[in-house]
Amino acid sequence: MTQVHPHPHARQPGDQPPAGQPHGHAHHHADLDWATEGPRLVREAEVYQPVTEQVLDWLRDQLAATGRQPGAVRRVLDIGSGPGVATCLLAEAFPEAEVVAVDAAQPLLDLTAERAARRGLGGRVSTLLADLPDGVAGAGPEEAGRVVAGIGEADLVWSRKVLHHVGDQGDIVRRLARALRPGGLMALTEGGLPLRFLPRDFGLGRPGLQARLTTATEDRFDGMRAGLPGSTRVVEDWAGLLTEAGLREAASRSFLLDLPAPLGADGRAYLASALSRFQEHAPELLGVEDAAVLDQLLDPENPEGIARRPDAFVLTAETVHTARA
Ligand SMILES: C[S@@+](CC[C@H](N)C(=O)[O-])C[C@H]1O[C@@H](n2cnc3c(N)ncnc32)[C@H](O)[C@@H]1O
């Protein structure tokens, strides 16, 4: 596992909704309306930026090992790009590439275009509205069912925390694999470790709240998946799914995000944002005692809340699965 110590002034909001409510898609029995999730997704992706940079180094090494220098990467697809934090990092990591941000939420694609323009990347970053698994509206019907219609070819297909929102995860991996040029690389971020952010006993309520949040997350995640169109149960062995899709040299590696206490303002804001996802349904999800503790943790004035207590931290990991065409 690779440990990441972010720059002390790096933004710290994180990504993985610790107990994150399952993310739904607007058309897909939405648990979440992605279009309004922009600020939260930016905060999450920015806290993970040090991890993403390490992942990109790993991908560049893999490409170089087979004779493909970063400059030989000409087209990159960021599948389910959200507000475009990683899209811009991809454009910076592959300076000769056109990077296409693909997402089903136009407001997030608009944020991506604005972010790319602010960073001087507008000429190489473009956006494409597409609803997985079907693809881009108006793309040739002959493609439907075999590929994600209309997304074209790529030297690198990147997708972080998106494919679990698609009903048939095996099918979407197969479709995306067909977008890869010979020798191209697929990199899927799925799984990892749940977020930890406080000691087991942090002095409020019954010890073990984090484990109960994790259980609640798993249950909601399962409910989210069951509600997706074409929901199909597969063994979530991503390396296996990449291999079944005809790709080779599948590999998985996990990257640690370790922001120790005392957290800076960004780390605290990230935790508050992640925990607030539970607040509305906390009594049903966790029971009244834990719900009351959550309220205390989220009270910005409470000295024992996330905003002020000295012992809050961010510790989590994400796993990246790669394979080549
Ligand atoms: C958890 S966010 C991840 C965003 C980004 N990849 C990141 O790492 O910050 C999931 C993204 O997938 C998009 N998404 C979810 N279901 C989708 C679908 N069926 N087709 C296209 N995009 C989808 C959402 O709009 C959202 O932007």
Side-chain angles (χ1 to χ4, degrees):
M1 193 174 279
T2 305
Q3 190 160 4
V4 175
H5 292 290
H7 186 275
H9 303 297
R11 289 180 59 89
Q12 298 173 348
D15 140 311
Q16 189 157 310
Q21 176 169 308
H23 340 287
H25 173 248
H27 305 164
H28 298 168
H29 310 263
D31 296 273
L32 273 189
D33 177 2
W34 289 115
T36 61
E37 283 293 301
R40 199 194 311 252
L41 290 173
V42 169
R43 193 174 277 144
E44 290 174 347
E46 285 184 348
V47 89
Y48 263 90
Q49 181 164 328
V51 164
T52 303
E53 285 167 354
Q54 284 216 352
V55 176
L56 289 170
D57 283 345
W58 183 48
L59 300 186
R60 277 192 305 231
D61 288 349
Q62 288 195 53
L63 287 159
T66 57
R68 236 175 223 230
Q69 297 305 323
V73 174
R74 294 306 171 104
R75 191 161 189 268
V76 177
L77 291 166
D78 181 355
I79 302 293
S81 46
V85 176
T87 312
C88 291
L89 295 174
L90 284 160
E92 284 159 5
F94 297 101
E96 304 297 322
E98 171 205 8
V99 183
V100 184
V102 180
D103 204 282
Q106 185 61 48
L108 298 180
L109 293 175
D110 294 342
L111 289 177
T112 300
E114 288 162 21
R115 188 177 184 92
R118 277 199 307 277
R119 296 171 78 109
L121 300 166
R124 289 192 295 117
V125 170
S126 59
T127 64
L128 199 54
L129 186 67
D131 199 349
L132 304 171
D134 297 331
V136 181
E142 71 283 356
E143 294 182 20
R146 293 189 294 117
V147 298
V148 178
I151 61 168
E153 295 184 329
D155 304 293
L156 173 62
V157 173
W158 164 284
S159 189
R160 177 174 176 270
K161 300 184 180 181
V162 176
L163 298 193
H164 58 259
H165 296 294
V166 177
D168 187 337
Q169 297 168 114
D171 174 69
I172 189 63
V173 171
R174 283 191 292 278
R175 291 185 192 222
L176 290 172
R178 293 191 183 115
L180 281 178
R181 291 174 176 152
L185 195 65
M186 174 109 73
L188 308 179
T189 299
E190 291 289 343
L193 294 174
L195 176 66
R196 288 289 185 256
F197 57 97
L198 281 175
R200 184 192 69 89
D201 185 350
F202 54 90
L204 299 174
R206 184 161 66 92
L209 175 66
Q210 290 172 107
R212 296 192 291 282
L213 284 171
T214 301
T215 303
T217 304
E218 293 286 350
D219 290 346
R220 300 200 72 180
F221 191 90
D222 214 35
M224 178 279 289
R225 283 216 45 82
L228 292 171
S231 182
T232 304
R233 189 169 169 188
V234 295
V235 175
E236 290 167 347
D237 165 13
W238 292 96
L241 293 175
L242 288 167
T243 305
E244 279 169 30
L247 303 181
R248 57 204 167 85
E249 293 168 41
S252 302
R253 183 168 157 190
S254 293
F255 296 81
L256 194 67
L257 181 65
D258 178 10
L259 306 179
L263 274 183
D266 289 338
R268 292 175 191 276
Y270 161 61
L271 285 183
S273 148
L275 283 178
S276 67
R277 295 181 159 200
F278 287 95
Q279 212 171 9
E280 193 185 343
H281 302 289
E284 309 95 87
L285 280 173
L286 299 163
V288 288
E289 193 194 343
D290 281 344
V293 171
L294 204 57
D295 287 342
Q296 284 177 279
L297 287 177
L298 286 168
D299 175 358
E301 303 305 326
N302 190 329
E304 292 187 285
I306 286 296
R308 297 177 57 186
R309 57 185 305 141
D311 55 355
F313 56 89
V314 173
L315 179 63
T316 186
E318 63 184 23
T319 305
V320 184
H321 312 272
T322 61
R324 63 177 50 256

